[in-house]
Structures are given as structure tokens and as C-alpha cells.
């Protein structure tokens, strides 16, 4: 995956005592994205805007808020999460990802 004409926010976003580390970047049209890594852990993330998590390495399973079902994902796949929601994630192999907002 390649992005051109980006502005990177050099301040790292560090969540869950370092279990998730990402950097926010902006495309030329102002679109916000983040790229990062999630180390093996069981975590719950909240969302403000809708998100699409595009996985480029690793494996996990997720459960969307209000669901009892877990879905498995691996590198080369993506999943969507509604805005103003949350999801549980169990990372089984360190994840590399790009998060698309909106």
C-alpha cells in the first residue's frame, strides 16, 4: 500500500501501555488515516467515526459491540466498525494495519 503527498503527525499515539502504537497521517485532500501495530493482547477500542481496519500483517479476531459472534481476520483482509461504537479485538499475531476513518 502506498500513499503519496502525505503529512505525518510525528507524535505517536500510544494506547494500552504500548500494546497499540500508531501514527496519524493526512492525505493531500485532508483525509485522516493512521498506520500502526497492535501487539498480541485482548483489547477494547471505542470509535468516534466509522473505521475500516486494513490489515497488512498478523492475525486477530474481533467482536463488534452488541454482537456475541467473533470474526477472524488476517493480513490482506479488512473489517469495518461503525462510528460511536466499540469492538473487542484479540490479537494472536502482531498486527500491522492502516485505519481509514469516515
Amino acid at each position: 500500500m502506498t500513499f503519496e503527498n502525505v503529512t505525518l503527525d510525528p507524535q505517536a499515539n500510544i494506547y494500552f501501555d504500548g500494546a497499540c502504537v500508531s501514527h496519524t497521517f493526512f492525505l493531500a485532500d485532508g483525509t485522516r488515516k493512521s498506520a500502526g501495530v497492535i501487539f498480541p493482547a485482548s483489547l477494547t477500542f471505542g470509535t468516534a467515526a466509522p473505521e475500516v481496519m486494513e490489515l497488512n500483517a498478523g492475525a486477530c479476531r474481533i467482536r463488534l459491540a452488541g454482537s456475541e459472534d467473533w470474526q477472524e481476520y488476517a493480513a490482506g483482509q479488512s473489517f469495518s466498525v461503525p462510528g460511536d461504537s466499540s469492538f473487542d479485538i484479540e490479537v494472536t499475531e502482531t498486527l500491522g494495519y492502516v485505519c481509514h476513518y469516515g
Side-chain angles (χ1 to χ4, degrees):
M1 177 179 329
T2 302
F3 296 99
E4 296 182 16
N5 300 317
V6 301
T7 302
L8 176 70
D9 182 346
Q11 179 67 42
N13 306 304
I14 302 171
Y15 305 101
F16 304 105
D17 295 323
C20 176
V21 180
S22 69
H23 284 275
T24 301
F25 63 97
F26 298 89
L27 303 182
D29 67 1
T31 301
R32 178 176 66 105
K33 300 184 182 292
S34 64
V37 63
I38 306 174
F39 297 99
S42 295
L43 308 169
T44 300
F45 284 91
T47 62
E51 299 181 3
V52 175
M53 295 284 288
E54 189 172 355
L55 308 180
N56 55 47
C60 67
R61 65 184 202 139
I62 69 145
R63 179 176 57 197
L64 297 175
S67 176
E68 294 185 18
D69 298 327
W70 289 89
Q71 301 293 321
E72 295 190 15
Y73 295 92
Q77 296 181 305
S78 62
F79 61 88
S80 298
V81 183
D84 297 319
S85 188
S86 66
F87 66 99
D88 298 320
I89 186 168
E90 291 184 355
V91 177
T92 53
E93 287 179 38
T94 300
L95 286 182
Y97 70 89
V98 173
C99 184
H100 308 270
Y101 300 99

